[in-house]
């Protein structure tokens, strides 16, 4: 696979190099990426068909040797950012739901996001199952 550039000037530049044959969505908090207010101390949560292909495409480096960890890092605007790359069949969500999220994705400017229904349910699932707590920021997003 062709190696891409080492660092990006901004996140839009990174997302724009992803070819159309790689299905992915930014699972949550994508509005800050779209309006260029992303906090580089945060991470980006991605769902894709194949984590390895996605990581190679954006030149992300795996942070942990374990196959069970999904954290990668890359450089954007001279800052190290972290990307959690989830893939189809990794049990982050049920595989059929993951496929549905990818099949019904919506393009927003330079990236893909879940459609409204999948976004709301995946955010609820994330709060209740993954985090086991209700985040006021997410509640405001849902309401």
């Amino acid at each position: 696979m062709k190696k891409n550039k080492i660092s990006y000037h901004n996140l839009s530049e990174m997302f724009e190099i992803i070819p159309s044959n790689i299905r992915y969505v930014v699972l949550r908090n994508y509005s800050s990426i779209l309006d260029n207010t992303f906090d580089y101390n945060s991470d980006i949560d991605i769902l894709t068909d194949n984590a390895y292909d996605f990581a190679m495409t954006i030149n992300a480096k795996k942070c942990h040797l374990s196959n069970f960890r999904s954290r990668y890092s890359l450089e954007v605007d001279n800052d190290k950012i972290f990307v959690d790359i989830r893939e189809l069949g990794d049990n982050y969500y049920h595989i059929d739901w993951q496929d549905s999220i990818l099949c019904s994705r919506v393009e927003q400017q330079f990236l893909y996001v879940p459609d409204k229904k999948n976004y709301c349910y995946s955010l609820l699932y994330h709060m209740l199952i993954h985090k086991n707590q209700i985040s006021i920021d997410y509640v405001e997003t849902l309401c």
Side-chain angles (χ1 to χ4, degrees):
M1 184 172 281
K2 184 181 127 198
K3 190 152 182 135
N4 291 304
K5 66 191 303 183
I6 303 298
S7 181
Y8 301 97
H9 295 298
N10 53 51
L11 287 170
S12 65
E13 184 180 35
M14 182 200 76
F15 282 104
E16 287 169 351
I17 63 104
I18 302 169
S20 60
N21 66 321
I22 294 182
R23 290 191 316 164
Y24 78 91
V25 293
V26 177
L27 285 169
R28 53 193 158 269
N29 303 325
Y30 52 79
S31 60
S32 66
I33 297 171
L34 293 171
D35 65 16
N36 205 26
T37 60
F38 180 75
D39 176 2
Y40 286 93
N41 294 314
S42 300
D43 62 2
I44 300 172
D45 297 294
I46 301 287
L47 172 65
T48 185
D49 286 324
N50 184 300
Y52 177 80
D53 287 348
F54 189 89
M56 289 296 293
T57 299
I58 64 170
N59 201 43
K61 306 293 182 229
K62 195 154 176 58
C63 294
H64 303 281
L65 295 177
S66 168
N67 288 337
F68 301 107
R69 302 295 301 266
S70 63
R71 178 147 289 208
Y72 293 77
S73 67
L74 64 125
E75 192 173 306
V76 176
D77 194 25
N78 296 317
D79 283 315
K80 182 186 228 179
I81 66 162
F82 294 100
V83 183
D84 289 338
I85 306 175
R86 308 293 180 173
E87 69 181 342
L88 194 63
D90 68 358
N91 293 319
Y92 190 67
Y93 302 120
H94 187 277
I95 189 171
D96 293 337
W97 188 16
Q98 289 176 319
D99 190 51
S100 175
I101 291 170
L102 291 170
C103 285
S104 62
R105 68 187 182 154
V106 176
E107 188 172 12
Q108 292 229 347
Q109 297 179 34
F110 49 83
L111 54 79
Y112 288 95
V113 300
D115 67 11
K116 187 173 178 108
K117 181 177 82 171
N118 280 310
Y119 177 68
C120 290
Y121 284 120
S122 66
L123 199 53
L124 283 169
Y125 188 94
H126 180 67
M127 283 190 296
L128 297 173
I129 305 301
H130 296 146
K131 297 294 185 185
N132 198 26
Q133 65 183 18
I134 305 294
S135 163
I136 190 68
D137 292 336
Y138 289 157
V139 170
E140 289 173 356
T141 300
L142 290 171
C143 294

